[in-house]
Each structure stands twice: as structure tokens, then as C-alpha cells.
Amino acid sequence: MLSQKAKYALKAMLALAEQKNGELLQAADIAEHQNVPRKFLELILLELRKQGLIHSHRGKHGGYALAKPADTITFGQIVRIMDGPLAPIPCASLTGYRRCVDCQDEKACAIRKAMREVRDAAAGILDGMTLESACSGGSAGARAALTS
Amino acid sequence: MLSQKAKYALKAMLALAEQKNGELLQAADIAEHQNVPRKFLELILLELRKQGLIHSHRGKHGGYALAKPADTITFGQIVRIMDGPLAPIPCASLTGYRRCVDCQDEKACAIRKAMREVRDAAAGILDGMTLESACSGGSAGARAALTS
DNA sequence: GCATAATCACATTGAGTTGATAGGAAGGAA
DNA sequence: TTCCTTCCTATCAACTCAATGTGATTATGC
């Protein structure tokens, strides 16, 4: 399940990506236009900044902007920052692997194999979908996934 | 995220699928061999029975068995019973669609499009993976997904 | 320099979910 | 009858999620 937090983060990042030549956008504006609780959004933006995806400016006429070009930021990065690994189960994760305590033989585990496939598919789609490609409306993620 | 409940359900169903000619298997045996809390497992088996995936027999020499051939029961069915829709977000779900209250234009929503792709990929894999194919060890789910 | 406006940083809250356990009721076999 | 096993409901503690509150800090404009 994608949390509200991750969904709001994606919305905010897409809003920032639509700003022309990296102009600042304020939390209050994003909150209003995207229908996101303002204070909750601040929390999210803070986290995105700490992870280096956006930078911020304080004081009057402050706000937020992408820290990198929109075609170098993927849905996968954003979702992982907010919700952690994409894999449905830790033993199938690359970025957050953890062994199942109740698993006898991990190598032969059919559940792990299935979940690994799901993880790979999700990663293929979300890591192939950039803010840029999402803004221009296309289904670039799917194409990238199919050719990788 | 796949819940413990769903993971335990998959393990239990795989154990039942490995029984020869539908012989009964008791909750206590499954619990022991699969490292699952016994009472929690009972809860899970109850739910699987109510959904018609297994049937049960009470009393001495009672137990559980699949209600249908192993090649007609998919991971997708089991996961949906335990955890609900596969889609990461309700607005991208086929089986449990719900509109996002904060979404302006669902048709154009890039997040929804991405999550729909993830859902379709996950469904392709999990609905193509049967207890039968999982038992025989192969990655039949992946093959089914690719050809569907 | 002062008021204003914005981000930064925690702390807290309330609701809901998850994972698990308890205790018996009901049904079947020996 | 007497075990044995499933059936069913209730309960629990711990945790997570979504959101709010309260200030502190920093920059701008007058």
C-alpha cells in the first residue's frame, strides 16, 4: 500500500517539476492546489530536502524547488524515501533485505520468488518513471520497464 | 506490504497443496512445520474456508484440505482475501476501486497511471502463479504474466 | 531595527491496524 | 462417553499512520 505521505510527496514533487526554470513554490501554495494538509506537507518536504531531492529557501518569498533536473528524479526514489522498500516482503527486497525468521529454506521459498518478481516489476516501472516523463503525460515507465 | 497473515496463508495453502490426493492436514501440523503461531493460523484457515478455498473436517482425524485443484488456486486470490486489493492505491484498483478525495482530475493523474501499471504487473504475476506451479518450483507466474 | 513571512524542528495526539492469545462451544470418531 | 479437532468471539498490546500544535529560526521589505 502506498501511504498518504508517499502520495502527497509525489504530488508535491510533480508540482515542483512543473515550475518553470526552478522557481520557488511555497508549501502553502502546494497544499492548497494539491489538497494536502499544510503542516503534514511541511513534514514531507522536510524529509525530501534532507534526502537531497529538493532545496528550500526561508523567509519572505521563500519556498521549495527541485534540487536536480526532473528527468533524474524517479517515482521509485520518492516512494522509497517515504514508505521504504518496494518489495512486498523484506526477504525479497534489494534495498532493505531482512531474513524471514520463520523461513526454513530461503533459496527454495516459493513465496519469496513470487514476491521478488513483484518487486522487480514494481521497481522496473517506478524507477523508470521520472517526474519529467510523468509531467509530459506519457507512460514512459512502462516502456522503460519493458526494455530493461 | 504483504502482511504476516497473508504470508502465513500462502505457506499454509502451499502445505495443503503438497498433500497427496487431498489428504487432511491438521492446523497443529501446519503450525509446527511452517513456524506459524497455532491460534493465529486457525483464524487464517477459518477465513480461507469461508472464502471457499479449503474445506475442513472436525473431530478426531480432522483437518484441512484444498477445496479445488491446486492449479486453479492462485497467489492473487489468497493475497486478496487476506490483504485486500493488490493495487498500491484504491483509485488504481479493479477489485476495490475507491476515488481519491483529494484528486482533481483522475483521468490525468500521473500517480494513478503509475500505480495502475504497478497493479497490473503485480496482478499479472500473482494471478498467474498457482499453488501447483509454485510447488513444482518453476517461475510459471512470470511466464504466464509475459504471455498474457 | 522591526514587523512580517516563510521554513525548520519536535512533540503530541487520536484513530486504526496488526499480530497474536484466551477460552470455551460445537461437532465427529473411537 | 471421552477425547480430539475445528469453530467462533473477545480481547490485548504494540505499532503505525495521518494530522496538528507550538515554537524557534531565518530572510525580506519597510
Side-chain angles (χ1 to χ4, degrees), chain A residues 36-81:
Chain A
V36 175
R38 161 124 185 280
K39 290 300 282 178
F40 194 25
L41 179 63
E42 276 186 24
L43 228 62
I44 290 164
L45 292 169
L46 198 60
E47 213 164 327
L48 290 169
R49 183 184 63 88
K50 284 183 180 167
Q51 296 297 322
L53 261 55
I54 61 180
H55 61 72
S56 61
H57 222 246
R58 296 217 264 198
K60 215 166 195 171
H61 304 138
Y64 300 87
L66 296 185
K68 304 190 289 181
D71 61 357
T72 67
I73 301 178
T74 67
F75 277 34
Q77 292 170 41
I78 299 166
V79 171
R80 284 198 191 87
I81 287 172

Side-chain angles (χ1 to χ4, degrees), chain B residues 92-141:
Chain B
S93 174
L94 290 186
T95 61
Y97 172 83
R98 254 180 35 234
R99 199 177 154 279
C100 283
V101 286
D102 57 299
C103 190
Q104 318 273 16
D105 179 5
E106 193 172 80
K107 273 284 176 198
C109 177
I111 299 168
R112 180 162 171 270
K113 272 185 198 155
M115 296 309 151
R116 183 56 158 271
E117 288 182 25
V118 172
R119 188 224 83 96
D120 289 344
I125 293 164
L126 297 178
D127 289 336
M129 170 93 63
T130 68
L131 294 178
E132 166 88 6
S133 61
C135 277
S136 48
S139 173

Side-chain angles (χ1 to χ4, degrees), chain A:
Chain A
M1 250 316 243
L2 195 77
S3 67
Q4 288 284 94
K5 209 170 148 194
K7 192 178 75 174
Y8 291 163
L10 288 170
K11 289 176 99 172
M13 291 297 280
L14 286 169
L16 292 177
E18 275 171 358
Q19 284 297 99
K20 293 302 159 200
N21 30 300
E23 270 179 25
L24 295 177
L25 200 53
Q26 296 184 350
D29 289 337
I30 303 176
E32 189 184 352
H33 289 114
Q34 306 295 326
N35 272 313
V36 175
R38 161 124 185 280
K39 290 300 282 178
F40 194 25
L41 179 63
E42 276 186 24
L43 228 62
I44 290 164
L45 292 169
L46 198 60
E47 213 164 327
L48 290 169
R49 183 184 63 88
K50 284 183 180 167
Q51 296 297 322
L53 261 55
I54 61 180
H55 61 72
S56 61
H57 222 246
R58 296 217 264 198
K60 215 166 195 171
H61 304 138
Y64 300 87
L66 296 185
K68 304 190 289 181
D71 61 357
T72 67
I73 301 178
T74 67
F75 277 34
Q77 292 170 41
I78 299 166
V79 171
R80 284 198 191 87
I81 287 172
M82 293 295 140
D83 286 358
L86 298 181
I89 196 169
C91 69
S93 174
L94 290 185
T95 61
Y97 172 83
R98 256 181 33 236
R99 200 176 154 280
C100 282
V101 287
D102 56 299
C103 189
Q104 318 272 13
D105 179 6
E106 193 173 81
K107 271 285 176 198
C109 178
I111 298 168
R112 179 162 171 272
K113 272 185 198 155
M115 295 309 151
R116 184 57 158 270
E117 288 182 26
V118 172
R119 187 223 84 95
D120 289 345
I125 294 164
L126 297 179
D127 289 335
M129 170 94 62
T130 68
L131 293 179
E132 165 86 7
S133 63
C135 277
S136 47
S139 172
R143 283 194 296 275
L146 286 175
T147 58
S148 71

Side-chain angles (χ1 to χ4, degrees), chain B residues 5-86:
Chain B
K5 210 169 146 194
K7 192 179 77 174
Y8 291 162
L10 288 170
K11 289 177 98 172
M13 291 298 279
L14 286 169
L16 291 178
E18 274 170 358
Q19 285 296 99
K20 292 303 158 199
N21 29 298
E23 271 179 27
L24 294 179
L25 201 53
Q26 296 185 348
D29 289 337
I30 302 176
E32 189 184 354
H33 289 114
Q34 306 294 326
N35 273 313
V36 175
R38 162 129 182 279
K39 291 297 281 181
F40 194 25
L41 179 63
E42 275 186 25
L43 231 59
I44 290 163
L45 291 168
L46 198 60
E47 212 165 329
L48 290 169
R49 184 184 62 87
K50 285 183 179 167
Q51 297 296 323
L53 261 55
I54 61 179
H55 60 73
S56 61
H57 221 245
R58 298 215 266 199
K60 212 165 196 170
H61 305 134
Y64 299 87
L66 296 185
K68 305 190 289 181
D71 61 358
T72 67
I73 301 178
T74 68
F75 276 34
Q77 292 170 42
I78 299 167
V79 171
R80 283 198 192 87
I81 288 171
M82 294 295 141
D83 286 356
L86 298 181

